[in-house]
Amino acid sequence: MTRVLDAYRSSWTDVAAHLERVPVAVLPFGALEQHGPQLPLGTDTATAAEVARRIAEALDAVLLPPVHYGDTWNTAGYPGTVSLRPSTVTAIAEDVGRAIAASGARLLVVVNGDWGNRNPLAAAMRTLETEGALRALTLDHPGMDAAIAAVRESAPAAPGLNHAEEVETSIMLAIAPEDVHPDRYEATYPTFPSDFGTRPMQLHPFSASGVFGDPSSATAEKGERIIAATVAASLALLEDALPRD
Amino acid sequence: MTRVLDAYRSSWTDVAAHLERVPVAVLPFGALEQHGPQLPLGTDTATAAEVARRIAEALDAVLLPPVHYGDTWNTAGYPGTVSLRPSTVTAIAEDVGRAIAASGARLLVVVNGDWGNRNPLAAAMRTLETEGALRALTLDHPGMDAAIAAVRESAPAAPGLNHAEEVETSIMLAIAPEDVHPDRYEATYPTFPSDFGTRPMQLHPFSASGVFGDPSSATAEKGERIIAATVAASLALLEDALPRD
Amino acid sequence: MTRVLDAYRSSWTDVAAHLERVPVAVLPFGALEQHGPQLPLGTDTATAAEVARRIAEALDAVLLPPVHYGDTWNTAGYPGTVSLRPSTVTAIAEDVGRAIAASGARLLVVVNGDWGNRNPLAAAMRTLETEGALRALTLDHPGMDAAIAAVRESAPAAPGLNHAEEVETSIMLAIAPEDVHPDRYEATYPTFPSDFGTRPMQLHPFSASGVFGDPSSATAEKGERIIAATVAASLALLEDALPRD
Amino acid sequence: MTRVLDAYRSSWTDVAAHLERVPVAVLPFGALEQHGPQLPLGTDTATAAEVARRIAEALDAVLLPPVHYGDTWNTAGYPGTVSLRPSTVTAIAEDVGRAIAASGARLLVVVNGDWGNRNPLAAAMRTLETEGALRALTLDHPGMDAAIAAVRESAPAAPGLNHAEEVETSIMLAIAPEDVHPDRYEATYPTFPSDFGTRPMQLHPFSASGVFGDPSSATAEKGERIIAATVAASLALLEDALPRD
Amino acid sequence: MTRVLDAYRSSWTDVAAHLERVPVAVLPFGALEQHGPQLPLGTDTATAAEVARRIAEALDAVLLPPVHYGDTWNTAGYPGTVSLRPSTVTAIAEDVGRAIAASGARLLVVVNGDWGNRNPLAAAMRTLETEGALRALTLDHPGMDAAIAAVRESAPAAPGLNHAEEVETSIMLAIAPEDVHPDRYEATYPTFPSDFGTRPMQLHPFSASGVFGDPSSATAEKGERIIAATVAASLALLEDALPRD
Amino acid sequence: MTRVLDAYRSSWTDVAAHLERVPVAVLPFGALEQHGPQLPLGTDTATAAEVARRIAEALDAVLLPPVHYGDTWNTAGYPGTVSLRPSTVTAIAEDVGRAIAASGARLLVVVNGDWGNRNPLAAAMRTLETEGALRALTLDHPGMDAAIAAVRESAPAAPGLNHAEEVETSIMLAIAPEDVHPDRYEATYPTFPSDFGTRPMQLHPFSASGVFGDPSSATAEKGERIIAATVAASLALLEDALPRD
């Protein structure tokens, strides 16, 4: 099995040589965001880092260290959540893209673990595309929704919303079970404001715990299936984006 | 022994409760920067993270996950180095400061591991001070120079310059010996441009390896002494900045 | 039938009095963007303006004059297309929101006619929400996809892509038939790059005409059904967002 | 008589072909600004659009759709007025200029209908001039003052000030009589602060209605003479700026 | 005779006490700009400084040290000219205004010596007015045109243009005769591009020396009359802007 | 003795010719900052201007007029102090650098007289270095500390702090004795907050007069020695930075 080239733990000479051979870098972009009382603040980062690691392994690409902070405005009302301005997220991604291009990469894959990063990362990708120094794209966990649909037993709190419930708890049981508190599982189905989804809205006014659903049916096996499916779908998408000589 | 409250691995409820009791957060700010062929790109982050962890333990403060990228313009010419714009570094620190203040912290201690972050972090600290939501300060490894003077055996390549030589290699031997390549040790004393130090200058034009000195006399024990002294000096400095009721 | 209060043609005293009674304003946000040889550059603006007019009528709200330019980076390679930077789109929407709030409005409904405006308008909405001077939301033609599915006879060039083909031609036949050139209808099914959809991509390199599908089955009746359904879905969504005393 | 090429209602292929033949585009830049109880908020836009249309006709140039919003800080205190920040006005003009240059235009004529747009448009013109992609100039209704002097019967409220009185009411009677409310004519001669004209000053504190003078002697004929003279002077000025081969 | 309170040469305690008594500050804003071979680059600054000094004397106001650099884009093509970006000029004026308000001033009079500073200073004045911390206004040498008309013997190179010819040479003969080179007087009447005045335009392409007219009839007496008239008109304008209790 | 080429008093033709021969410019960057009751607000500017003048003389370089305002946030609480934002300081230096490069200079020496300008000037220098149009460097009074140590008789209020006491009073006695008030000498040794030096901090809360030490032993001779040593050390540093053919 390939051991991934982890840039954080590798010398510049090793990374430079590797990029010359495989000019692809993978950047996990996470967030420090509330995930209920049972999951750690680093849940999104941990998920993105795990998906990114597997993608990097499969592609023999350089794995960049994760960005631990993202734009999580929606949950900024929960203490411990650290939300960046969207412009900060965009700036980080642009800077990493330019630097890794200057280092020899021709493709940057950003594995995004946080919903709020989508728009600011899209802005950065477009800037990098326009500048033309390398190809850059963001993966927002493709394939994950289908995999969730296949394993989910509990009802979601709102359609398409997987936050701090069965799904994310399963993922963390697969990745970092030591950071999960099963003794704190509590099903919570908040009443959403009637105009939820139509405008920017913070969540703390109507959800005290930050849990949106029921974590009690979470299992590591479900989490592993979700991650594996996400990685597989990501790799399928990347197939055509990889640099060719 | 106190186990540090690591925000990355803790739930928002635990962090919120902790900040209510001890309203202090510690943020390691690093860089992904070349450190010669024998040390990893993450050397500055690893050092800052280790110092920050010990400070957080001593103060029973919340340890925030590290910022893995910084402003390392001077070494941006070495592939693998990922340098952020100074404005990006400032923005990250401002955003983290505002969010952690909103989370209940009254003091943010930034442990800075990278020389290039100094100015942009100082700018952020001043903004936070002016905004007044919390007290914020950056520690640029106080006490480290004295500790280095006490242990250093090899000559520095330039006065006050400790980069990828005996000092930093010793630190990494103490922190992450598995990421050090002793087989690649090579003393390098570049000839500096005569106006070095008078103006902004990148290093790659006159140093092929990125090593500035001689790593061969590095030991984990020296590294441990340097780190311990830095932590001690940091704690001394912080004594008067801690929030009092 | 209510005649809509068109701010462009009304005095400030009439608008001020109206907003005191019904504190809601509707802003059509369009684009000047290529829509093939058979449709005008103003297609997106015209569509947004028509939907906005009907919404304003139904709500007895103030109709603001349209923004004729938007972010259409994807089609900026077709001469005649005038694409704004995303930051410009965001700034316009923020400024309009602040001013109309100062004028007495408590809800701003932005009817967005252009895909590229989505992210920059979302950024503006969040800023307005955070500032708190009024409630602001963007409608990206809700209900339109379902209505399209119900009337579409020709195949789309790509899933979910309705650009300058049966759908948009039908809409323009309903709104402004005098600006449609049926003699120029030409079915065009471009071959998309294999990584289409995974990263920001301009369209002109693989589509000479800018048509994505087949306009030949377009009818005004289909267009009217699509518009009517979009208006109905918009009104349903708005029901809960309207200011209550 | 030439029918003007109205970009809003024309296909990109028609605009592209036209610009190849006549590489000149005309952009009306207006404002949504109070003009007393008898005139519509869109008065400045309507005036600029009419002048622009005639200029475009005379030059066989492409007429761009109007910008309906401008910088009207001075009257922002009247509800219904929607004032953009100066930087937003500058950004719009820069973006339109760059895009229309990329579309083949070699001259952009901005017909400015709003006093407050002067400085921000001048900034944009200079940027476009420096970038060099096309020649760009703003017309601030040249010749209008002389024409006003020739037709005006009522006294102005302040020297050089023509706002919502005889002059502008005449113009709107010529352009859009259906939007004028003669039953609301009321002469108003506010007492100006003694330092009026020496510093930036908003008008609502000393003028309740927003009328500055006496609309009662307004006629469509006077309006037509003012517009015709403005167009003639504009065309004279443009003579030397037109692209030559 | 009052000796002016020159802030540059006075202690903070003296300035603070003075502002408490007379809360007015005067700031000369100049430029380092070509003025032909016979006049110094500092001509605009010297003129503004002299006018400002006399105004400060008359008002018993605090005289601030001059800003030596301004926006002189039009003449940036002549070596030695140092032109600031407009945003830099705006920022300087805003910062000085805020600081001098915090120091106790209730009126800031900016004496502007450079045509190119007009727009960026106007932007700053509006920001200061909106912030409301003090009243701020820019004087663009009021009364100077009339005074010039009364003394001028030579023809201007273009209507209203007084640059490096009889007028400015007279002014410098009055202010700093030791910096004038009469042996270099040379009448120059450039041929202007036919669209001069309609769009932003740099001057060096059609004027080799930077002289626009004929300096040979310049006299110190004319200069003194121009300055005295400008000061008188400035004081008349300021009468109503002065703070009252 | 060489008379320095003072750009403020010289024509553009003289400066252009001089820069062709000696492509070096020297810019004094000062501040308007409190220096106790006995010294003028312009102390830092006067010092920088004097050092710059001597450097320019020695190098036969062009002396630019001083920037009278800087970033003096630390002392912004003393009325009369005028502090610029750091971004304003950076912008000024960047603009001057670009313009003087376009004028033919190949080296810009910024003589910085104000501690607070260090970071913003460093940012500007890096930008200029990256742009590559000329070499630019800031001198923060090198050699001054050693000279101070050699002459100082009174104790400093804090290690390394020379503000409005023996040192600066001596310098002003040497440069501008007519602006010094010996009758106001008063020794002041404030009690510093215990965390002074660890974070951004304003000084007025703990020092009423703004004096930090004892001016009573100040002499012009000491001042002259300090200045001469600073100039000598500056010239030594510059030796290698000077342009060579």
Side-chain angles (χ1 to χ4, degrees), chain B residues 220-236:
Chain B
E221 197 202 350
K222 289 178 184 173
E224 174 57 31
R225 284 179 59 189
I226 292 168
I227 290 168
T230 304
V231 171
S234 298
L235 291 171

Side-chain angles (χ1 to χ4, degrees), chain C residues 7-12 14 27 37 39-42 46 64-66 68-69 79-80 85 88 94-95 103 178-179 184 209, chain D residues 7-12 14 27 37 39-42 46 64-66 68-69 79-80 85 88 94-95 103 178-179 184 209:
Chain C
Y8 176 67
R9 300 183 57 187
S10 307
S11 73
W12 77 268
D14 288 347
L27 173 71
L39 296 181
L41 285 162
L64 294 167
H68 277 286
Y69 301 92
R85 282 167 287 181
T88 307
E94 288 172 353
D95 290 356
S103 293
E178 67 280 13
D179 294 337
R184 299 180 181 175
S209 71
Chain D
Y8 176 67
R9 301 183 56 186
S10 307
S11 74
W12 78 269
D14 288 347
L27 172 71
L39 296 181
L41 286 162
L64 294 167
H68 277 287
Y69 301 92
R85 281 168 288 180
T88 307
E94 288 172 353
D95 289 357
S103 293
E178 67 281 13
D179 294 337
R184 299 180 181 174
S209 70

Side-chain angles (χ1 to χ4, degrees), chain C residues 104-167:
Chain C
R106 288 162 53 203
L107 173 66
L108 172 66
V109 178
V110 181
V111 175
N112 176 28
D114 165 44
W115 188 84
N117 289 337
R118 291 191 177 202
N119 284 7
L121 287 178
M125 296 305 105
R126 197 165 100 181
T127 298
L128 293 172
E129 170 77 15
T130 302
E131 293 178 356
L134 89 171
R135 180 161 291 183
L137 58 87
T138 297
L139 297 176
D140 294 311
H141 291 333
M144 192 179 266
D145 282 346
I148 289 169
V151 302
R152 183 191 265 291
E153 292 177 275
S154 62
L161 184 62
N162 316 302
H163 192 80
E165 30 61 274
E166 180 190 357
V167 170

Side-chain angles (χ1 to χ4, degrees), chain C residues 154-192:
Chain C
S154 62
L161 184 62
N162 316 302
H163 192 80
E165 30 61 274
E166 180 190 357
V167 170
E168 292 200 316
T169 306
S170 294
I171 290 172
M172 288 309 285
L173 284 173
I175 294 176
E178 67 280 13
D179 294 337
V180 180
H181 297 269
D183 53 309
R184 299 180 181 175
Y185 288 177
E186 194 165 350
T188 320
Y189 286 88
T191 303
F192 288 82

Side-chain angles (χ1 to χ4, degrees), chain F residues 204-223:
Chain F
H204 62 283
F206 54 90
S207 168
S209 70
V211 173
F212 290 83
D214 183 356
S216 64
S217 53
T219 68
E221 198 203 349
K222 289 177 184 174

Side-chain angles (χ1 to χ4, degrees), chain A residues 237 240-241, chain C residues 74 157-159 161 191-203 206 212:
Chain A
L237 262 175
D240 295 310
Chain C
N74 297 54
L161 184 62
T191 303
F192 288 82
S194 56
D195 58 351
F196 180 74
T198 64
R199 58 187 185 85
M201 198 179 278
Q202 294 194 307
L203 305 178
F206 54 90
F212 290 84

